[in-house]
Amino acid sequence: MNYFTNNHVEERRVAEEKEDEEDEEGNENDMEAWERAYAEDRSWESLQEDESGLLRPIDNDGVQHAQYRRRLRNLSAASAASRIQKGLIRYLYIVIDLSRAASERDFKPSRMAVVAKHVEAFIREFFDQNPLSHIGLVTIKDGVAQCLTDLGGSPDSHIKTLMGQLSCSGDSSLQNALDLVEGYLCGIPSYGHREVLLLYSALTTCDPGDVMETIKKCKRSKIRCSVIGLSAEVFVCKHLCQETGGSYTIALNEFHFKDLLLEHAPPPPAIAEFAVGNLIKMGFPQRAAEGVVSICSCHKEAKVGGGYICPRCKARVCELPTECRICGLTLVSSPHLARSYHHLFPITPFEEPSLGLLNSSRHKLPKTCFGCQQSLVPSGNRPGLRVACPKCKQHFCLDCDIYIHESLHNCPGCESLRHSKTVNNIE
C-alpha cells in the first residue's frame, strides 16, 4: 500500500512541476513586445537621477569618453615616469575559450558572441596601432587547444577564420593552450616581444599534467601572458599573469570587457631583462606589376598581378608586413615604420578647462572646435564639453580628442603653428 501511495505522490509532484513550467512559458508568451524588451534588456538600469531628482538616460558617450581619458592619462603617466622602451614588434597569440562555459548567457546574447564581436574590433585596432606586429588565433574546446591561424599580419584572414569556427563544447584546458602557444613562440627572434592574451570563460581547467610546470616553461621562454576573465577570478590564471609579467582582469559587463580588451592594443613596456637592443635586417619590397603571373610563396599557388616582390630572393608575397617564406627576410613598407613612430613620442593628453575658466567673463573661449569646426557653445543646461591642447592652447571637441590621440597622432593646432613658423622663416 505504501508503494502505491509513494508512486501516486511522486506522479502528482511531477504533474505540478509541469503545470508550473507551462504557466511560466505561457506568461512569457502572453507578454507584449515592449514588456519582453524591458524584462530582457533591464533598460531601467540605463537611467540615472539628475540634480533635481528627475530621471534621465545615462550619457553613454560621456561615460565612454571619461573611461578613454582615464586610460589615456594612465598611459601618459607611465610613459612620463621614466624612459620606457616599447615593444613595437609584437607576436601575439589570442587564446579564446570556447568550452561550454562560453555558451552562458550572462553576457547578451552569449559570452561567445560578445567575445567574437569584440575580438574582431580588437584585431583591426591592434594592426592599426602595431603595423609591424603579428597575431595568431588559438581556441580551447573539448579539453584540446587548436591553432586556427598562424602568426600573420592580415586582419581579414584572422577574422574570417574565427567567424567560421564559433561553437562551444566540452571543457577548457589551460595547460594544453599554453603548451601549444609556447611551442610556436619559442622560435620567435629575440627582438620580437612574445605575448599571449587569454579570453577565459571557464572557472576550471582540465589539464593532462602539472600546469605549474607549464607556467614556469612560459616564463623561461620570456612569454608575457595576460588573461581577461568573463566569470570570476581563478587562482591559476592569476598565478600565470603574476609569474609572466602580464595582467589579470575580470570583465563586469560587455562595455567593461571591450575596454579591458582594447587596453592590450597599444604596445606594452618591454620587460627590462628582455629588452635587448638589436639591429633588425628588413626589406622594403616593391609592388608587382598587375599583369605578371607568379607563384605566391604564401599560398603555394599561381596568382596574377598584385602582391610584393622580396628584394633579396624575388619571391612573391601577398601582404605586408610578413616574413619571406623563402629567405626569411622581414618585409615591411615605409608607412609601417612611420605609423609605429608615434608610440615612441605620443601626444600629450589634452586638458579639460577648469570651471573657473569656463564661467569667467574675462576669457573668451573659442566657440567652435579647432578640428571639425563644430559648435562648442553649451545648449540649455548641458555644460560645454571641450578639451584644450596644453601646448598650442587650441580647443577641441571630445570626438576630435579621441580621433587625434587614437588615429591621427598629430595635434592640428601644433602642426599649424609649426607650419606658420616655417613660412615666416622662408619669407
Side-chain angles (χ1 to χ4, degrees):
M1 183 66 182
N2 290 336
Y3 173 76
F4 291 105
T5 303
N6 291 338
N7 282 349
H8 181 63
V9 171
E10 183 67 20
E11 290 176 357
R12 287 189 60 186
R13 186 181 66 80
V14 173
E16 290 175 357
E17 289 180 355
K18 289 183 178 180
E19 290 178 1
D20 293 339
E21 292 177 357
E22 292 176 356
D23 291 340
E24 290 178 0
E25 293 178 357
N27 291 336
E28 291 180 358
N29 294 330
D30 293 339
M31 293 173 64
E32 299 292 340
W34 63 271
E35 292 178 312
R36 288 197 298 271
Y38 279 109
E40 294 173 359
D41 297 340
R42 303 174 66 88
S43 56
W44 57 84
E45 294 182 353
S46 62
L47 298 175
Q48 65 181 1
E49 188 175 350
D50 59 10
E51 295 79 3
S52 59
L54 300 177
L55 293 178
R56 59 183 176 87
I58 294 177
D59 184 9
N60 291 324
D61 293 338
V63 172
Q64 293 178 7
H65 186 266
Q67 294 173 349
Y68 153 76
R69 290 193 59 80
R70 192 181 307 115
R71 183 171 70 251
L72 188 65
R73 284 195 296 268
N74 292 337
L75 292 175
S76 177
S79 299
S82 60
R83 295 179 61 87
I84 297 177
Q85 181 176 343
K86 295 294 187 71
L88 298 183
I89 302 179
R90 305 168 63 186
Y91 293 86
L92 171 67
Y93 268 103
I94 304 177
V95 181
I96 304 175
D97 179 9
L98 292 181
S99 62
R100 68 170 66 94
S103 61
E104 295 291 335
R105 299 185 179 275
D106 48 354
F107 288 72
K108 297 294 183 180
S110 68
R111 294 180 183 176
M112 178 190 67
V114 170
V115 168
K117 180 177 73 172
H118 292 298
V119 165
E120 177 181 358
F122 171 77
I123 291 175
R124 299 192 184 279
E125 180 68 17
F126 178 88
F127 283 115
D128 182 67
Q129 297 200 35
N130 306 270
L132 301 178
S133 301
H134 298 75
I135 276 182
L137 296 180
V138 172
T139 59
I140 317 173
K141 64 170 66 174
D142 298 322
V144 178
Q146 177 186 3
C147 182
L148 291 186
T149 60
D150 295 327
L151 289 170
S154 174
D156 293 330
S157 63
H158 292 306
I159 294 170
K160 182 179 179 181
T161 305
L162 174 62
M163 295 307 170
Q165 299 288 335
L166 293 179
S167 62
C168 303
S169 61
D171 298 319
S172 179
S173 176
L174 183 62
Q175 184 183 12
N176 286 338
L178 293 178
D179 282 333
L180 181 65
V181 297
E182 194 274 336
Y184 287 122
L185 291 176
C186 65
I188 295 300
S190 59
Y191 59 78
H193 292 260
R194 309 167 186 179
E195 300 177 52
V196 177
L197 176 60
L198 292 98
L199 309 179
Y200 208 70
S201 298
L203 288 172
T204 58
T205 173
C206 183
D207 299 325
D210 188 359
V211 67
M212 296 301 176
E213 291 298 325
T214 304
I215 293 175
K216 293 179 181 178
K217 185 167 62 174
C218 291
K219 184 178 180 180
R220 289 193 299 267
S221 299
K222 305 176 183 179
I223 300 175
R224 184 202 305 265
C225 301
S226 299
V227 180
I228 300 179
L230 281 84
S231 49
E233 183 176 294
V234 181
F235 170 78
V236 67
C237 294
K238 185 175 182 180
H239 179 71
L240 168 66
C241 298
Q242 290 175 344
E243 289 295 312
T244 59
S247 63
Y248 183 39
T249 51
I250 302 296
L252 303 178
N253 49 50
E254 181 178 350
F255 297 107
H256 189 216
F257 174 75
K258 178 183 177 182
D259 291 336
L260 295 177
L261 190 58
L262 291 179
E263 286 180 0
H264 293 273
I271 302 177
E273 58 268 28
F274 304 158
V276 181
N278 288 284
L279 294 177
I280 306 171
K281 186 176 291 187
M282 292 186 175
F284 296 87
Q286 295 182 348
R287 188 167 181 83
E290 294 299 329
V292 176
V293 179
S294 57
I295 298 177
C296 174
S297 62
C298 308
H299 301 88
K300 306 295 189 299
E301 61 184 18
K303 292 191 175 183
V304 180
Y308 301 88
I309 303 301
C310 174
R312 176 188 284 174
C313 65
K314 308 304 178 183
R316 182 190 187 278
V317 295
C318 291
E319 296 176 333
L320 299 178
T322 188
E323 191 174 276
C324 180
R325 302 293 181 91
I326 307 301
C327 63
L329 181 65
T330 301
L331 303 177
V332 298
S333 64
S334 54
H336 290 149
L337 294 179
R339 285 166 53 195
S340 302
Y341 180 79
H342 70 268
H343 291 297
L344 303 178
F345 303 97
I347 303 177
T348 305
F350 293 168
E351 300 173 350
E352 298 182 8
S354 61
L355 293 176
L357 184 62
L358 292 174
N359 299 328
S360 175
S361 58
R362 297 180 180 179
H363 300 86
K364 292 185 179 181
L365 299 178
K367 295 183 180 180
T368 58
C369 170
F370 185 81
C372 63
Q373 300 300 312
Q374 295 293 323
S375 176
L376 295 176
V377 178
S379 58
N381 295 327
R382 186 178 179 181
L385 300 177
R386 64 172 72 203
V387 290
C389 175
K391 295 182 179 179
C392 64
K393 308 301 181 184
Q394 297 292 349
H395 288 236
F396 299 90
C397 64
L398 305 186
D399 292 334
C400 285
D401 177 25
I402 296 177
Y403 175 71
I404 289 171
H405 283 88
E406 293 191 349
S407 300
L408 191 60
H409 305 297
N410 286 293
C411 174
C414 297
E415 292 298 322
S416 63
L417 289 177
R418 187 179 296 111
H419 177 70
S420 62
K421 288 180 180 179
T422 304
V423 172
N424 293 334
N425 292 335
I426 293 175
E427 295 176 352

